[in-house]
Structures are given as structure tokens and as C-alpha cells.
Amino acid sequence: MSTKTRIQILDVLRGFAIVSIMLLHSIEHFDIYYFPEHLPAWMKTLDGAIWETMFFLFSGKSYSIFALLFGVTYAIQLSRQKEKGQSFAGRFAWRMVLLFAFGILNSAFFQGDVLTIYAVLGVLLIPFSKLKDSIILGIAIILLVLPYEWTNLIYALQHPDEKINDPISWSYFGKMLTYVGEPSLWDTIIGNLTNGKIGVLRWNWENGRFFTILALFLLGYLLGKHQKFHETDKNLEFWTQVLKISIIAFIPLYLLKRNMDHFIESDIIRRSALTIETSITNFSFMLVLVSGITLLFYKTKAKNALMYFSRFGRMSMSNYIIQSILGGAIFYGWGLGLYKYTGATYGLLIGLALTIIIGIFCKWWAKRYKQGPFETVWHKATWM
């Protein structure tokens, strides 16, 4: 099958990831963990249920889908350039420089940006993609189990009674309201790009995200290289097996995560063990989502309904940046400051409203332009 044929399921998955990220960010007030006290008791109870449900479904999973598809896209782009007899390494490296610039723009409005991290780690796809598939798979598996965190766990096992401090990232996040809660957009931008950026990088390191993201890039590259998202009987059987295995793996992993306090008394041991276990648990549920949506798309009548997400996926980077700007305008002090008044319930409703509004914008834009606004700039700057 030609690599020029657009694979709709990738747009659907990418759009699903973008929408679910926006919903999760909305109940979090785009990183402001503030819980209003004035809300009635019944709404606080509902807020708690929505918070738990949304985090169960999307936290650590939506970004994983996004990262996996990043690797798939690289494989497709690399294949297209090989068909033309052209090298893609230098062009892709320049493309990552541009992505980093977009990430800085996004970080100005939302400190939780991942584009800058993707840009830096994405460059590593160039040398890794030259290795044998078996070696790439082995590296990805090693990265998924967070090798650095295992060194912390070994140390913890040797010092089980050692007292631990709060993660360093918390000290940075604790300063957030001094700028995002204030009415100055300029102060928010400066705060996001300095204190916020350091805090987010520290948090990603503390939670093993750098290892996980690169692992997902590599796995996505292998899936893209072997065209696993094309509609064939062999691929549908592959995703059926992935769904079965990931469900079987997720259930005991999730139960272990929920009950780890009962198994491990030492705080220092539990922190490292939980970090490793959470990464693997999230990965398994991410596979449930990806394989499940892929099978629903290809094998059921749900395809037409799922195609709604494709409009988001075709301009995913634009939507990612747009939601950061709109989220700040709604929840931060320089905008409406609704973080003070909304819990998870209102946050979810706001997120759903944003989904409808942005969906209408995407449909309008797609009728007039081939790519999203930021995708157009990215494409033209890449190939200038």
C-alpha cells in the first residue's frame, strides 16, 4: 500500500488523544490544582467521582498515544523520502528545531507543554531508526521499565528507613499561583517559561517520562515501519491479540497499583516501586485504548462516529496550542480566572464546550485549507 495514502485511523487516534488531553486539562484548570470550598457537598462528591474517572481513563495514557503516533509519523515520513531517494535525517532534525520553537510558544501559555520535550527526544529517532528492529524493540522495552528508577529502587531497598522529601518539582509548582493566578499575561508568560518550565522538566524526570516518551517513539516507529495501522486481516488479528494481552496485563497491574500501600510500608521503597509500576500500568491501558479504537474503527459501525475525532487529528499541533491559549484565557488570572470557582464537574463541562467549539473551527478550516494553521507554517518552514 502506498505511503502516500492518508491513514484515517491515525487522525482518529491523534484526535482522540487531543480531545482527551483537553478534557483532562480542563478539570485540572490547566495545571492549577485548586479545589473551591464554596461548592455544595453533592457537587464536591460528583467532582471527586469525575476526577477519579478522568484520571483513570486518560492520565498518562493520552500523552502516550500522542507519543506513539509521533513515532508512527516519523516512520511514514522516512519511508516517503526513501521512495524519492532522498535523505531525511537533516530535514527531520531541522523539523525538530521548529517543533521546539512551537513548544516554547505553547509553554508561554501552558507550562505543561510536551512539544519541547518531543523535539529534543525526537532527534534520537534519527540514529535509532538505523538499528535492527529487534534491537530497537529491546531498547524500547528497557526504557519502558524506567532503568534509572531501578537504581533508585535498589538504593531504597538498601535504606528502607531513610526519610524522603517531597519531589523537587513540587516546590516549583507551589509558586504557580504567584503568576498564573494574577491578572498580568506578561507575568504569566515569564513565570511559565522560567519557574514553570523547570518544574515541568523536573516532574517529567521524577516520573520517568523521558524514558517512556522515547520508548513510545521507538515502538511507534516500528508500528509505522511495518504498516500496522493499515486495514488488513493480518493487522486486525495483530490488534486483537494486543487488546487481549493488554487487558489481561492491565487488570493485575492496576490492582497492584491501587493496593501498593498494603504491600510496601517503606515510603522510599514505595515511591520508586510506584513510579515504575505506574508507568507500566499506564502503558498497558494505553494499548487497550489504541487497539480497542483501531478495532472499533475497522470492524464495527462505530467508524462514522469515530471519524469525528479525525478533524482534530488532522491539525493536532494547532489544536494543542490553541487549547493552551483558550485554557489560560478561561482559567488563569489574566483571563476569566475560573479556577477559583470551578471544580471537576464544571471543568469537564467547559472542556466539552471547548471540544464542540474547536471541532466546529476544525471543520470550517478543513474546508478551506489542506493543513492546520501551525501545521502549514511547520510544513513550509521544514521544506523551504
Side-chain angles (χ1 to χ4, degrees):
M1 186 176 293
S2 172
T3 56
K4 294 182 180 180
T5 304
R6 191 167 187 94
I7 308 170
Q8 291 180 321
I9 183 59
L10 296 180
D11 289 329
V12 169
L13 287 168
R14 198 175 287 112
F16 176 83
I18 284 293
V19 170
S20 57
I21 286 172
M22 181 163 59
L23 295 178
L24 193 63
H25 284 169
S26 294
I27 70 168
E28 295 176 312
H29 306 136
F30 281 75
D31 266 7
I32 304 180
Y33 283 59
Y34 184 90
F35 305 96
E37 291 296 330
H38 70 278
L39 299 175
W42 67 267
M43 180 163 282
K44 290 182 180 179
T45 301
L46 182 58
D47 285 346
I50 289 176
W51 185 276
E52 289 291 329
T53 301
M54 295 296 289
F55 267 74
F56 170 80
L57 290 174
F58 304 131
S59 180
K61 295 89 172 177
S62 299
Y63 98 91
S64 295
I65 297 175
F66 212 43
L68 188 78
L69 297 179
F70 186 93
V72 175
T73 301
Y74 172 73
I76 294 172
Q77 292 172 331
L78 182 62
S79 178
R80 287 174 178 170
Q81 295 309 306
K82 284 183 177 179
E83 288 178 0
K84 298 177 182 178
Q86 298 178 358
S87 172
F88 187 53
R91 191 72 65 174
F92 183 73
W94 168 240
R95 189 172 173 82
M96 293 301 96
V97 172
L98 296 171
L99 181 61
F100 187 86
F102 284 122
I104 291 298
L105 171 64
N106 190 57
S107 298
F109 293 94
F110 174 54
Q111 66 181 22
D113 167 76
V114 297
L115 299 181
T116 48
I117 297 174
Y118 281 21
V120 174
L121 295 179
V123 177
L124 296 176
L125 280 168
I126 298 173
F128 278 128
S129 62
K130 301 179 186 299
L131 302 175
K132 293 181 179 179
D133 290 353
S134 58
I135 297 176
I136 295 175
L137 179 60
I139 293 172
I141 292 173
I142 292 172
L143 291 172
L144 277 174
V145 297
L146 309 186
Y148 177 77
E149 195 59 42
W150 278 94
T151 64
N152 291 335
L153 180 58
I154 292 172
Y155 175 85
L157 290 170
Q158 296 172 338
H159 306 84
D161 298 323
E162 183 174 316
K163 300 296 182 182
I164 58 173
N165 298 318
D166 290 336
I168 296 176
S169 60
W170 290 14
S171 64
Y172 290 92
F173 294 148
K175 302 173 184 177
M176 263 191 77
L177 282 179
T178 61
Y179 48 93
V180 298
E182 297 302 312
S184 170
L185 173 59
W186 179 247
D187 288 346
T188 296
I189 291 173
I190 296 301
N192 282 341
L193 292 176
T194 52
N195 177 81
K197 199 64 181 172
I198 296 172
V200 168
L201 292 175
R202 293 289 318 194
W203 184 89
N204 277 277
W205 175 256
E206 290 162 357
N207 289 274
R209 288 288 181 91
F210 295 119
F211 295 96
T212 305
I213 290 171
L214 182 55
L216 291 166
F217 283 0
L218 296 176
L219 292 175
Y221 166 76
L222 292 176
L223 291 172
K225 179 180 179 181
H226 294 280
Q227 300 185 343
K228 288 300 182 181
F229 287 99
H230 287 99
E231 186 180 7
T232 66
D233 291 339
K234 185 177 180 180
N235 284 346
L236 292 180
E237 178 59 27
F238 168 78
W239 287 115
T240 300
Q241 293 303 315
V242 170
L243 179 60
K244 291 178 180 178
I245 294 171
S246 55
I247 289 175
I248 292 171
F250 171 74
I251 294 173
L253 284 169
Y254 180 71
L255 291 175
L256 175 61
K257 176 186 174 182
R258 295 287 294 184
N259 295 280
M260 193 165 286
D261 287 350
H262 302 298
F263 297 119
I264 304 175
E265 294 183 0
S266 168
D267 291 337
I268 190 171
I269 294 176
R270 187 169 58 251
R271 174 183 285 182
S272 289
L274 187 59
T275 299
I276 296 169
E277 206 276 347
T278 298
S279 176
I280 300 172
T281 302
N282 287 343
F283 174 73
S284 64
F285 194 74
M286 181 274 293
L287 290 179
V288 172
L289 293 174
V290 171
S291 58
I293 292 172
T294 301
L295 291 171
L296 284 173
F297 184 82
Y298 283 131
K299 298 183 71 173
T300 73
K301 296 180 180 180
K303 179 176 181 177
N304 290 335
L306 290 171
M307 280 298 293
Y308 175 77
F309 292 109
S310 68
R311 66 178 64 174
F312 296 89
R314 289 178 69 93
M315 44 189 290
S316 57
M317 185 172 71
S318 293
N319 287 324
Y320 186 70
I321 296 174
I322 289 170
Q323 70 169 269
S324 296
I325 298 172
L326 292 179
I330 292 170
F331 293 106
Y332 290 180
W334 65 267
L336 299 176
L338 292 189
Y339 79 91
K340 298 178 182 178
Y341 313 104
T342 57
T345 305
Y346 286 130
L348 179 59
L349 292 174
I350 290 171
L352 291 172
L354 285 176
T355 300
I356 295 172
I357 294 169
I358 294 178
I360 294 172
F361 167 73
C362 290
K363 184 177 181 180
W364 176 86
W365 187 274
K367 289 181 179 179
R368 292 161 176 79
Y369 306 98
K370 184 178 179 180
Q371 296 175 307
F374 288 103
E375 284 81 3
T376 300
V377 175
W378 195 18
H379 178 79
K380 290 185 177 180
T382 297
W383 298 103
M384 63 182 182

